[in-house]
Amino acid sequence: MPFRTTGPAASRASLPSRAAGRLARTTWVDLVVAAAVLVLLYLTLRVGQGTTVRFSTSQSAKVDTDPARLPYDAARSLLRMFVALAASVVFTFVYAYTAARSRRLERILIPALDILQSVPVLGFLTVAVSGFIALFPGSMLGLECASIFAIFTSQAWNMTFGFYYSLTAMPRELDELSRSLRFTRWMRFWKVELPSGAISLVWNGMMSFGGGWFFLVASEAISVNNKDYALPGVGSYAGAAIADGDLGKVGWAILTMAVMVIGVNFLFWRPLTAWAEKFKNEQSEATEVQRSYVLDLLRRSHWPRLLGYVLRPVGRGLGRAARILGTDDRPLTHDPARQRTGDIAFAVVAGGLILWGLAGLAEYLHDTSGLGVFGEPLLLGLATLGRVLLLVAAATVVWVPIGVRIGFSPKLTRIAQPVIQVLASFPANFLFPLAVWFFLRTGLSIDVGGILLMALGAQWYILFNTIAGAMSIPTDLREAMDDLGVHGWQRWRRLILPGIFPSYVTGGITASGGAWNASIVAEVVTFGGTTLTATGLGAYIAQATAAGDFPRLIAGVAVMSLYVVALNRLLWRRLYRLAETRYTL
């Protein structure tokens, strides 16, 4: 009788033979997937070579607007966008998890996130350009890092807010399951928490990616301290064409942007949204599910399973190493006296550091321009605040019903998703020629018309989060409502509004912050030799950035942060607490 090995040793020994067997069964699907991956790697390496060429700060910011360069420019922009997205995902996991798991750090991290999302991209660029150029002297990599950092700041905050909420509003039964099985914290994150927030994370990532497109011109064609910097990309190409008043080249930039957005949606986001359907928390399977040709192709290929076999030892090793983080057996009760003592000590240390920083900032402003520099931005902020509130209210009335309708219909989602992606990703700068012509032709003031331009960068947060909230409502609850004959307003009041409310609050917070940020590019509209300037805080910050006036820039950013934090504390945070206590599935 032949000797037969059993147990773990046999399992490990059989892995190479399994892999060899799968390779022997290679099909045309495997060949297509392998060829696509190799082509993608080759293009990434070729395009990436341009990020390390020599660069001098004395170089002019001349942008080549030959349409033949647009494919290369598009590839450079895409590379920046995906590098920034990867950095945003890592930041989201670390920041949101820390805020959700530490009650004391949450009191600092979440208000800090409010401030960070309100700081305009131009405010980050002012510091980032000088810092990264000094870090990589004589290399284009410094400007590339500054541009990627600017795109990162337009992506990360929305994803972090969404994932933070999914961690704090996780169903109680999943939390109890993790505790009872004594999962390690590493296992809890990957097996429970990340799957629970997968749908929200994917849709917020899609929206954040669109936010990166929106600020592409500002991040690739940079004007800081009366010095212009430019990188090859669709954003800088469009900015140069707009400055020249060349409508033909602006049209080519718009066409290129549309092709990129639709292509990324088809090849990347639609497969992700279809894959995330598996994490829906429901007891009965939906009759209609999202489909993706790319995902179907990958599932028919042997490469994902083969890659899983190869990486399985790495995953096991990480799991064993992560045991040092402890197990998920946190007690449900705490010693009140010990907790109060820790809270006081933490508040003293954190408050002292914050006061020390504010004192240093006040001293700098007092020595350079005086504290009276805050007066003008405080008044201008009221005008921008009015535009933000009007925009959020209008977007809520218009997009919540549409988002629910899309989220409830997988077929409609497949149709609407690429259209919404194109609209959400469309930079306001590309519409400046049309906006200037329309405002001058109709006599509409930029103070009013600026709201429409701000909406291009803010209203989509509400739509995308509403869609994600509607998709996360279990199918069995919807079927139960159908069986009970609950329709119309009663259905909205008892199922839809409670089901989407947590996601809507996340969308409202990020839409509000996005509107403040979008005011930077929406309150100053330039095309050719015509410039229209609105009365508002966004125009104030844009002018201070272009002039390199750091005291005015700091004052403008500080006032904008103050308005955003106050609005969040008075309105959005209260709605967040309501969502956590009453409207979790």
Side-chain angles (χ1 to χ4, degrees), residues 399-420:
W399 292 116
V400 166
I402 296 176
V404 170
R405 182 71 182 90
I406 294 174
F408 278 179
S409 172
K411 182 178 180 181
L412 187 58
T413 301
R414 289 195 298 270
I415 299 172
Q417 184 179 325
V419 177
I420 297 172

Side-chain angles (χ1 to χ4, degrees), residues 304-374:
R305 288 183 289 274
L306 180 60
L307 187 62
Y309 283 129
V310 173
L311 295 181
R312 185 174 297 174
V314 178
R316 289 173 176 168
L318 289 175
R320 287 192 294 268
R323 291 174 184 172
I324 194 174
L325 301 176
T327 58
D328 187 24
D329 55 355
R330 301 184 307 277
L332 295 176
T333 59
H334 303 275
D335 181 5
R338 182 178 179 182
Q339 181 173 319
R340 188 160 46 252
T341 302
D343 289 344
I344 293 174
F346 181 79
V348 169
V349 173
L353 292 174
I354 293 173
L355 289 176
W356 176 71
L358 290 176
L361 177 62
E363 182 180 0
Y364 168 76
L365 292 177
H366 181 269
D367 294 340
T368 54
S369 61
L371 298 181
V373 71
F374 287 100

